[in-house]
Amino acid sequence: MTRRPGINYWFDDMEEPTAVFISVDGHEPQELAWETIDITFGERAYFRCSCDHRASKLYLPPGGSKFLCRSCHALRYSLSSLNKNSVAGRAIYRMNRLQKLSDSRAD
């Protein structure tokens, strides 16, 4: 069984937050810029990564200590590295799609 980190978070101002602070396993908190953008039907909240990229999700990979965007952590989707034109790539792609379909139907 793998241990999941304890994560605590809080906003600088609950009325109009501009930053969220995240502490992983009681370590020094990381400050993340928080902004809301007006869209057609209301507002949408985004994080600002340290690279100044606006992201709706930030990631903490296993063994990581900071929440960052996908590009900062060099994260890729597993299927994006496949050559779908090869026989093996097509087979792996199809098996992945079938597994995702099976998992969604099981839920």
Side-chain angles (χ1 to χ4, degrees), residues 10-70:
W10 60 94
F11 292 97
D12 60 344
D13 179 16
M14 291 305 290
E15 297 297 320
E16 289 191 36
T18 59
V20 61
F21 295 87
I22 300 176
S23 176
V24 179
D25 282 337
H27 292 119
E28 183 176 333
Q30 177 184 359
E31 181 179 355
L32 300 170
W34 175 275
E35 65 179 313
T36 54
I37 304 296
D38 290 327
I39 57 174
T40 307
F41 298 104
E43 293 181 329
R44 178 153 183 187
Y46 290 98
F47 294 106
R48 271 286 177 192
C49 183
S50 59
C51 68
D52 207 35
H53 174 79
R54 184 185 298 156
S56 28
K57 291 182 185 179
L58 296 178
Y59 300 87
L60 179 68
S65 61
K66 287 192 166 203
F67 283 89
L68 298 171
C69 67
R70 293 182 65 83

Side-chain angles (χ1 to χ4, degrees), residues 55 59 70 80 92 95 98 106:
Y59 300 87
R70 293 182 65 83
S80 67
I92 293 170
M95 290 304 296
L98 288 172

Side-chain angles (χ1 to χ4, degrees), residues 78-79 90-107:
S78 59
L79 294 181
R90 278 195 303 272
I92 293 170
Y93 182 80
R94 286 184 188 146
M95 290 304 296
N96 183 279
R97 298 287 95 198
L98 288 172
Q99 182 66 46
K100 285 195 180 249
L101 178 63
S102 174
D103 291 346
S104 69
R105 288 185 177 175
D107 290 338

